[in-house]
Amino acid sequence: AFTVTLAALSSDIVRLFSPARNGNAFSVSFVGASGRTYALEYKKALSDPSWIPLASKAGSAGLMTLTDFPVSDKQRFYRVSAK
């Protein structure tokens, strides 16, 4: 079993869809926008001082997906940042 906790950034809210863990992979989808860069970040505990960057992708209009593979921890907290 696993728990998914999603966090939104203060001014750049990214609406996340279909967070899922399949085996050793976690993925989340969202609607992107051209001219932005999106990054999947995680923490092992919310009390950790920093988010750890994983995958990043140049934005495009429409549905986008970011994936973390392999996931070795039993618990991670994810967010998608937009710049």
Side-chain angles (χ1 to χ4, degrees), residues 11-43:
S11 63
D12 291 317
I13 296 173
V14 178
R15 294 182 188 259
L16 304 175
F17 303 98
S18 305
R21 183 168 179 176
N22 292 316
N24 285 344
F26 170 82
S27 63
V28 64
S29 298
F30 55 95
V31 176
S34 297
R36 310 229 38 197
T37 300
Y38 297 92
L40 182 62
E41 302 171 332
Y42 81 95
K43 289 183 174 188

Side-chain angles (χ1 to χ4, degrees), residues 33-59:
S34 297
R36 310 229 38 197
T37 300
Y38 297 92
L40 182 62
E41 302 171 332
Y42 81 95
K43 289 183 174 188
K44 291 183 180 182
L46 288 176
S47 59
D48 290 349
S50 303
W51 289 92
I52 299 167
L54 295 166
S56 65
K57 217 182 238 191

